[in-house]
Amino acid sequence: MRHVDFSPLYRSTVGFDKLLTMLDGMAPTDQSQSYPPYNIERTGDTTYRITMAVAGFDEAEISIEAREHVLTVKGEKAEDTEAETTQYLYRGIAKRAFERRFQLADHVEVTGATLRNGLLHVDLVRELPETMKPRRIAISNDAGKAAKQIEATQA
């Protein structure tokens, strides 16, 4: 029997959580990490947060762009002038550039981003337009109204 791995979809989409949870329950998940590690959290009924561990990067070295249902986070380290004079015995902190893309569902918008203690937090919200929101239709009671009479004119 073949198993389909939906974990790449689950890790890179926001707003499809109900569908992906159903698909995820049908197949085993692969919890492999990639650089940089990140979390996708649901913080409310219509709000989400992506948290990425970007140790060593500052605000000027990270760019965030949302276009056509795709959120792209890029990180590029600036040239380090001290690297020429520094001799590392062990270098475990990655300084490589990265680009991470997240597929956004319809009507999911980025509301803000903060960088604090090496963690980049990107806040998202799903706002449905008024035309798509459910609305209540009032039911009128015609029994209380008097019947209309049609008057005829004589010629």
Side-chain angles (χ1 to χ4, degrees), residues 20-79:
L20 291 176
T21 301
M22 287 183 353
L23 294 174
D24 198 34
M26 293 173 18
T29 61
D30 178 22
Q31 296 297 327
S32 63
Q33 289 288 333
S34 57
Y35 182 78
Y38 62 91
N39 294 334
I40 299 177
E41 308 167 51
R42 185 178 190 153
T43 57
D45 288 341
T46 60
T47 56
Y48 303 89
R49 173 175 273 183
I50 298 172
T51 302
M52 299 179 71
V54 291
F57 287 86
D58 64 7
E59 293 91 353
E61 299 169 329
I62 297 174
S63 66
I64 302 170
E65 181 180 294
R67 184 187 318 166
E68 298 176 7
H69 304 295
V70 176
L71 173 68
T72 305
V73 181
K74 293 181 186 178
E76 292 187 49
K77 288 298 288 179
E79 287 297 320

Side-chain angles (χ1 to χ4, degrees), residues 102-121:
F102 299 93
Q103 189 71 33
L104 302 177
D106 291 338
H107 313 295
V108 174
E109 299 292 328
V110 177
T111 59
T114 57
L115 181 63
R116 191 174 35 230
N117 299 328
L119 294 175
L120 175 67
H121 302 283

Side-chain angles (χ1 to χ4, degrees), residues 111-154:
T111 59
T114 57
L115 181 63
R116 191 174 35 230
N117 299 328
L119 294 175
L120 175 67
H121 302 283
V122 180
D123 294 315
L124 306 154
V125 66
R126 175 188 279 162
E127 292 185 14
L128 290 176
E130 286 296 322
T131 56
M132 295 186 72
K133 290 182 180 176
R135 58 188 175 106
R136 193 172 270 308
I137 309 297
I139 301 173
S140 63
N141 185 357
D142 288 339
K145 293 183 180 179
K148 289 186 178 181
Q149 294 183 1
I150 300 174
E151 295 182 14
T153 56
Q154 291 182 1

Side-chain angles (χ1 to χ4, degrees), residues 11-28:
R11 292 190 313 248
S12 63
T13 59
V14 176
F16 297 101
D17 48 330
K18 289 182 182 177
L19 173 65
L20 291 176
T21 301
M22 287 183 353
L23 294 174
D24 198 34
M26 293 173 18

